[in-house]
Amino acid sequence: MTDQIITKTETAPVKSSRRKFLKAGGLAAGAAAVGTFAMPNVSRAQTVTLKMQSSWTASDIFQEMAADYCTRVNEMAGGRLKIDLLVGGAVVHPFSVQDAVHTGVLDACHTVTVYWYGKHKAASLFGTGPVFGFNAEQGLGWIYNGGGKELYAELVNDILKLNIVSFFAMPMPTQPLGWFKRPLRSAADIKGLKYRTVGLAADLMQSMGMAVAQLPGGEIVPAMERGVIDAFEFNNPTSDRRFGAQNVAKNYMLGSYHQATEYFEIMYNKQKFATLPKEHQAILQYAAEAASSANYWKAMDIYSKDLQELKEKDKVNIIRTPKDVFEAQIKAWDGIIEQLAKDPYMKKVMDSQKAWVKRVVYYETLNAADYVTAYEHHFGKMQG
């Protein structure tokens, strides 16, 4: 993660009289008239186009969210910097985008860190790590203000020696436990299931007795149809519904500790990024922050609509994950944390997260309104 790009402009107080003001205005008007001849529009030949591939299928809501980011870059750059967005698999496999950006095959990608966690398990700590009590919005706070971006830079630049620079965006809502042919009644029902997930969540579910397959989104339904897996999670009601999860399972279990704090990684080839003007580097960074909000607002609207469609139109059973599954997950995380902490770098990352959570979540939780009580006052007992 690069340090924030900050442009500082200092101005000195200026004394002026009405006469000076009128005189200066006349000179400025003349200069503006001359400028129409002296300053032609920038040639389109000078436009820099960056080739970006996502890890998402064309129909996934995540591809729309990647496009939201690209639109902001293209419009803010006024035609002098453009991102050409490709779907997952257009150039390389969705899980291979980091390698392609590192080597320069791609200029950029839109992905999640967990897709390259095979290089170093610490990648999963930046989005799909142990649940210490913080949500994704608070997790982005840690990345931008709690030391996360510096720790991320240490991982990719110092430990892995990767030729990349990344920005993070979109605080993802908690990911559902997923889709099951038969609903889980207790944690005991987990044992023996063949389940799709990714990253440290795979370690978590394996420790709870599942057999785990790590697959990109586009391969999940075919694997379910062939019997390679018999349960899975991906991310959210919209993505899941669009790739047809409701056609291969009818029990959708909401709530889990397996992936409760994730966000997109928007990655650039570091050498390519360094060749761009400072103002274009700033646009790439700040567009990520703008898209982060826009993506989340879109998610609140469309995820909730699709959940209702799954329930009412597709006749899916919407079920809250049993409490003892949460309890089994958090205990399983304890064992994984103990193993991860044997690596000094990963211990440093988790210690940083814990320090952030202890302070920030304490404030937010004690201060938050009891929204469930307010909801049930107006709409009745929450079902599920």
Side-chain angles (χ1 to χ4, degrees):
M1 194 70 191
T2 56
D3 292 332
Q4 284 195 331
I5 302 165
I6 300 173
T7 303
K8 183 178 180 182
T9 304
E10 296 183 356
T11 57
V14 178
K15 294 182 180 179
S16 63
S17 66
R18 183 173 181 274
R19 181 177 297 173
K20 289 180 180 178
F21 175 78
L22 292 172
K23 182 178 180 181
L27 290 172
V34 172
T36 60
F37 298 97
M39 298 293 290
N41 289 331
V42 175
S43 169
R44 288 293 179 186
Q46 294 177 304
T47 296
V48 174
T49 300
L50 302 176
K51 183 167 62 177
M52 171 185 281
Q53 183 194 298
S54 78
S55 292
W56 325 119
T57 61
S59 62
D60 194 345
I61 186 64
F62 287 174
Q63 187 69 11
E64 290 183 30
M65 291 176 174
D68 289 342
Y69 170 74
C70 295
T71 296
R72 280 156 178 75
V73 170
N74 294 349
E75 291 182 357
M76 286 192 284
R80 293 186 58 216
L81 174 66
K82 291 184 177 180
I83 297 179
D84 179 17
L85 177 64
L86 307 172
V87 300
V91 178
V92 297
H93 188 275
F95 282 6
S96 300
V97 287
Q98 191 207 59
D99 286 336
V101 174
H102 168 68
T103 58
V105 172
L106 293 169
D107 298 316
C109 69
H110 190 281
T111 189
V112 284
T113 60
V114 72
Y115 280 4
W116 55 269
Y117 115 118
K119 283 191 174 65
H120 198 300
K121 285 193 174 185
S124 203
L125 297 179
F126 296 88
T128 54
V131 180
F132 298 123
F134 60 152
N135 60 29
E137 189 72 72
Q138 295 157 344
L140 278 177
W142 169 73
I143 283 182
Y144 282 102
N145 295 287
K149 67 179 184 290
E150 292 81 9
L151 287 164
Y152 177 84
E154 182 179 347
L155 173 64
V156 299
N157 298 138
D158 301 338
I159 297 175
L160 297 176
K161 311 294 184 185
L162 296 174
N163 183 34
I164 65 171
V165 56
S166 294
F167 305 110
F168 291 88
M170 172 49 177
M172 296 183 188
T174 299
Q175 295 180 36
L177 184 63
W179 295 82
F180 297 81
K181 294 179 179 178
R182 294 183 299 276
L184 301 182
R185 303 300 180 188
S186 70
D189 293 340
I190 285 176
K191 290 181 170 56
L193 289 177
K194 294 177 291 184
Y195 181 80
R196 180 273 177 194
T197 190
V198 290
L200 286 174
D203 296 19
L204 177 75
M205 295 309 195
Q206 284 173 340
S207 73
M208 296 175 69
M210 285 182 164
V212 176
Q214 301 200 46
L215 304 169
E219 298 178 19
I220 294 173
V221 167
M224 192 79 164
E225 291 172 333
R226 296 195 311 271
V228 175
I229 56 175
D230 46 33
F232 62 91
E233 65 79 36
F234 180 66
N235 190 279
N236 64 79
T238 299
S239 294
D240 294 356
R241 188 167 188 255
R242 288 187 182 183
F243 69 59
Q246 70 277 10
N247 298 324
V248 292
K250 287 295 183 182
N251 300 289
Y252 194 26
M253 307 200 67
L254 300 189
S256 181
Y257 280 143
H258 78 283
Q259 287 178 312
T261 313
E262 191 171 22
Y263 7 80
F264 294 134
E265 179 183 19
I266 302 170
M267 184 189 304
Y268 291 92
N269 176 278
K270 192 174 183 180
Q271 289 177 320
K272 185 75 173 183
F273 185 84
T275 66
L276 299 174
K278 292 296 183 184
E279 61 267 27
H280 288 173
Q281 293 179 4
I283 287 172
L284 295 178
Q285 175 185 336
Y286 297 144
E289 297 174 13
S292 187
S293 295
N295 290 169
Y296 183 77
W297 300 332
K298 176 179 284 188
M300 290 298 95
D301 178 34
I302 200 164
Y303 290 7
S304 62
K305 287 177 180 175
D306 276 314
L307 184 65
Q308 292 304 311
E309 288 283 293
L310 286 167
K311 181 178 180 180
E312 296 168 8
K313 183 176 180 180
D314 302 317
K315 307 305 179 185
V316 170
N317 299 316
I318 308 298
I319 308 164
R320 177 68 177 173
T321 297
K323 185 177 180 181
D324 78 326
V325 173
F326 279 99
E327 291 171 349
Q329 285 180 323
I330 208 71
K331 289 176 183 175
W333 269 126
D334 286 343
I336 292 170
I337 291 167
E338 184 178 353
Q339 292 301 311
L340 296 177
K342 293 179 181 179
D343 180 291
Y345 171 77
M346 286 194 280
K347 182 178 186 304
K348 181 166 61 173
V349 173
M350 291 188 293
D351 285 347
S352 175
Q353 290 175 335
K354 286 179 181 178
W356 176 261
V357 168
K358 187 174 183 179
R359 173 168 57 86
V360 172
V361 176
Y362 174 83
Y363 159 69
E364 284 216 8
T365 302
L366 283 185
N367 188 56
D370 184 346
Y371 293 110
V372 173
T373 296
Y375 180 96
E376 293 183 345
H377 172 78
H378 292 285
F379 306 108
K381 186 71 175 176
M382 192 175 293
Q383 301 298 312

